[in-house]
Amino acid sequence: MSTLQEKDLQYIWHPCSQMKDYEELKPLIIEKGRGPYLYDVNGKSYLDAVSSWWVNLFGHSNPRMNRAIKEQIDQLEHVIFANFSHEPAIKLAEKIVSITPQGLNKVFFADNGSSAIEVALKLSFQYHQQAGMSQKKRFAALTDAYHGETLGALSVGHIDLYSQVFKPLLLDTVRVEGPDCYRCPFGESRAHCDAPCFQQMEETIAEHHRTLCGIIIEPLIQCAAGMKMYPPVYLKKLRALCDRYQLHLIADEIAVGFGRTGEMFACEHAQIRPDMMCLSKGLTAGYMPLAVTVVTDHIYDAFYADYIEQKAFMHSHSYTGNPIACAVACESLNIFEDDQVIEKNRQMSAYIVQKVMEQANDHPYVGEYRQLGMVGAIELVEDKPSKRGFDWKKRIGYQIYKKGLEKGIILRPLGNILYFMPPYVVTEGDIDFMVDTAFSAINEFFGIKPY
Ligand SMILES: *Cc1c(COP(=O)(O)O)cnc(C)c1O
């Protein structure tokens, strides 16, 4: 073990980790990044197939992004955002309004995804309180949802690993059975589905709408749940349902926004406009913590009044609208325009599917390969005909993750689901390496030759 690793373990408590695991698998000390690759202090390279927790878009240490930061830092590093403003925030807000679905016109800044969710929940609650609807105190959300890990965000989320122990502290949430397309209880195929499972949503909302402020959803992909993908028709129906009962539709595009699904925003696949959209992760292309909650004029106007004691939205973070973060976010959006990123991603996405299917088609343990845009997921199952999964206690994903690291790829599976969410700067050669190495790790684990 190197001195850095020793000191790391002496002083640092890592996120989303059982620290005892680090006795066996030491923290990897990364020295630098270039494009989709990370390099450790020994010079070993790793393909970042998970975009460093889904944030990186244009590679590590990208020259354009680097320049944007350096230029901004020599101008202004930070300033209070109440009553003060700056060009990077103004430019960014204007760009965000222009690219998000029509009608989302006001941008509220925060500094991480969970905070953007808190902002949306608080806005929606306060909106209804101010309108005299004091019985509206809850939100509806899907099973297997993930919206972050602060208490409000955990409350609407539904992944026991994160929330179980905190249940006594959490808000009361109305839970709706979400779509499960791989194991569809209605026997629908993905291609021709009209979302019969939406009936559960209709029934639950019909029963509870009087006490609800809104419905929060991860559009098209429930990422943390294991890249569970469902069709746009579900979102179309949800928009209509929210209109019928006058509920806020809150789209959590923190993971799927900024081109991940093949469109700039996942809601575009369904041509719907949510009442609020939460964005973070890809917002700064993986450079700086920043988040926004974008809302309609209708919501904004409901808070507009003569005094601060009256109707103002009292929510703030010290680093709200940080200029450096806003400047990199602007540059990221410039890259989208200049390099026709969405167009190029479509071709790369098609290449990934083709490449994966060569190996996935007759694989004895690949239950399903699903992909949308630049997100692909391999669901490993013990028994293909019954789709029976592996016992999670076997930690199959974790074993494959460790093999992947040895082979120079960062996979970090979710349970038994291995996914690819690479930075957009990958080449076909990088994809070949990514897919071949992932399958070599899988096959080695299961003892299937060749690997
Ligand atoms: C990551 C994520 C969040 C939380 O964002 P943080 O910046 O990690 O707090 C919320 N919702 C979704 C869908 C996410 O993927």
Side-chain angles (χ1 to χ4, degrees), residues 117-146:
I117 298 293
E118 300 292 334
V119 166
L121 301 178
K122 286 174 73 178
L123 273 176
S124 181
F125 175 76
Q126 188 175 336
Y127 170 97
H128 289 100
Q129 292 299 302
Q130 286 174 171
M133 293 180 255
S134 57
Q135 77 284 7
K136 288 184 172 274
K137 301 180 197 173
R138 306 198 287 173
F139 293 88
L142 297 184
T143 47
D144 285 344
Y146 179 88

Side-chain angles (χ1 to χ4, degrees), residues 58 64 259 262 264 331-348 374 424-425:
F58 302 119
R64 271 189 77 170
M264 195 61 169
E331 189 62 5
S332 172
L333 293 176
N334 290 339
I335 294 176
F336 269 102
E337 280 174 25
D338 297 345
D339 297 355
Q340 280 124 42
V341 173
I342 301 285
E343 271 310 303
K344 284 190 191 149
N345 279 358
R346 288 204 180 111
Q347 292 160 31
M348 192 53 74
M374 293 296 283
Y424 303 160
V425 293

Side-chain angles (χ1 to χ4, degrees), residues 54 112-115 117 146-148 218 223 252 254-255 280-281:
W54 321 344
N112 64 76
S114 304
S115 298
I117 298 293
Y146 179 88
H147 298 291
E218 295 159 86
C223 292
D252 176 353
I254 291 167
S280 186
K281 293 204 166 93

Side-chain angles (χ1 to χ4, degrees), residues 84-100:
F84 287 78
S85 197
H86 47 80
E87 196 175 351
I90 296 163
K91 271 193 182 161
L92 178 59
E94 184 181 21
K95 276 179 191 290
I96 285 178
V97 167
S98 77
I99 59 174
T100 46

Side-chain angles (χ1 to χ4, degrees), residues 356-373:
V356 174
M357 289 320 289
E358 283 169 16
Q359 310 226 34
N361 253 336
D362 299 313
H363 197 283
Y365 297 108
V366 177
E368 179 181 62
Y369 179 66
R370 47 182 177 265
Q371 188 178 313
L372 184 62

